[in-house]
Structure formats: structure tokens, C-alpha cells
Amino acid sequence: MQHIIEGFLNFQKEIFPHQKELFRSLASSQNPKALFISCSDSRLVPELVTQQEPGQLFVIRNAGNIVPSFGPEPGGVSATIEYAVVALGVSDIVICGHSNCGAMKAIASCQCLDPMPAVAHWLRYSDAAKAVVEKKSYSSEDEKVNAMVQENVIAQLNNIKTHPSVAVGLRNSTLRLHGWVYDIESGVIRALEKNSQQFVSLSENPEVYFE
Ligand code: ZN
């Protein structure tokens, strides 16, 4: 814990003074243009890989970058999406998975999750992706996990479309959805291309989006 507190002390002393004006302008309002939904994994830092300043990204993070489909008992993820779209008026939503994802590995390897009943329950929102992956064969466990990571991003993009605020935004063309997978080792991002349903290099295809 000590290094976290030392980090804060360094921020207060060395970093904050140089960004004083930015924080002053953000003190009473925010106007982020994008909602970024990613895994809680410590190795994927949305603001770092997209080089965004405070105030620019509205972020949801959870195990497996999961978006429960909309239902009669909406939870925290649903409320946060609704707030981002309706109150903040974001124009883009990115759902970003990542390589070596522990949640996706657990699903791909049918790992016993008995000691973690909440995780097991939560990952049920990825059942569509699991079903797709189980129908194919893979040459290695890594390849299967990679497929699970990609199919999970697709499944969560489908889930988010069931949210009323997102449905309205898509219908009115005021909202765009993006499906990304970040590779931890190479720093590469692959983005889902709607027509081909393939993940392509984002740096080579910066215009690519899902819907
Ligand atoms: Zn993860």
C-alpha cells in the first residue's frame, strides 16, 4: 500500500501543479465524448493506451468487460451506460477485451468456479460467446482463449444494443459502437469490422467501427 500513497504524494507535488488549469476547468463539469468499457485487469489502462487526459473518457471496468443485457432489474453497469448516453451524451462506446484475460480463460477451460460463485454468475453474460467458441476446434489452448476474448467482445456488443438509451442512439445515428481487443505484449489493438465480422488492425484501419 505504501507505494500507492507515495504515488499520490508524488502526483500532488510533481504532476498536479503542471495540470492545475486542466483540473480547474474540470472542477464543476465533465464533457467526455466516449464511454470505454474494459476489463478490470491491471495490465490494460484505458487512459494510457488511448492517451486521454482526465475528463475525456467515461469508464466502466469489470471482470471480463461484460455488459449485462437490459432487463427488468438493471444494475450498476446498465445505470452507468444510461448516464453516459443520456446525461453526458457520449457519441462513442468502446468495448475493449484483452489478451490473456483471466475471466475468458476460466470460461474457455471450463475452470471450476465453485469458490467464486459471484464470478461464475457474472460470466453467464458471456454464454453466447462460450456457445460459439465451443462449436469450433482450436489447435491450442491459447488460440481458444483468444477466440473467447474476441467472441466475448461481440457478445457484449450485442448485449449493449438491448439497452434502450443505446438503441435510441443507434437508431438516430448519434451513437457509434466499437469492439476492440488489446494485446498486452505487443500493444496492438484489433478492432471489429462490422461487414466482415473480423478483427483488423486498428492502426491500419483507424476508420473501422462496429455499428
Ligand atoms: Zn480480463
Side-chain angles (χ1 to χ4, degrees), residues 39-41 43 62-65 98-104:
C39 187
S40 296
D41 195 292
R43 299 164 294 176
N62 62 52
N65 43 274
H98 67 96
S99 61
N100 197 249
C101 182
M104 295 307 113

Side-chain angles (χ1 to χ4, degrees), residues 82-155:
E82 201 169 87
Y83 186 80
V85 175
V86 177
L88 298 175
V90 299
S91 57
D92 294 87
I93 299 177
V94 180
I95 298 181
C96 186
H98 67 96
S99 61
N100 197 249
C101 182
M104 295 307 113
K105 274 163 94 174
I107 296 172
S109 61
C110 295
Q111 222 169 294
C112 172
L113 291 173
D114 286 349
M116 294 186 282
V119 173
H121 185 265
W122 181 242
L123 295 180
R124 295 293 308 272
Y125 290 111
S126 192
D127 274 356
K130 182 185 179 185
V132 171
V133 168
E134 290 299 333
K135 286 281 174 211
K136 295 179 185 167
S137 54
Y138 302 93
S139 57
S140 70
E141 198 57 28
D142 277 355
E143 199 186 311
K144 189 177 181 186
V145 172
N146 290 340
M148 190 63 218
V149 168
Q150 292 191 351
E151 291 299 335
N152 180 56
V153 167
I154 295 171

Side-chain angles (χ1 to χ4, degrees), residues 1-16:
M1 189 61 204
Q2 196 53 36
H3 63 288
I4 295 178
I5 294 167
E6 279 164 17
F8 164 67
L9 294 175
N10 183 59
F11 166 77
Q12 196 174 45
K13 194 162 157 251
E14 306 291 340
I15 311 296
F16 187 87

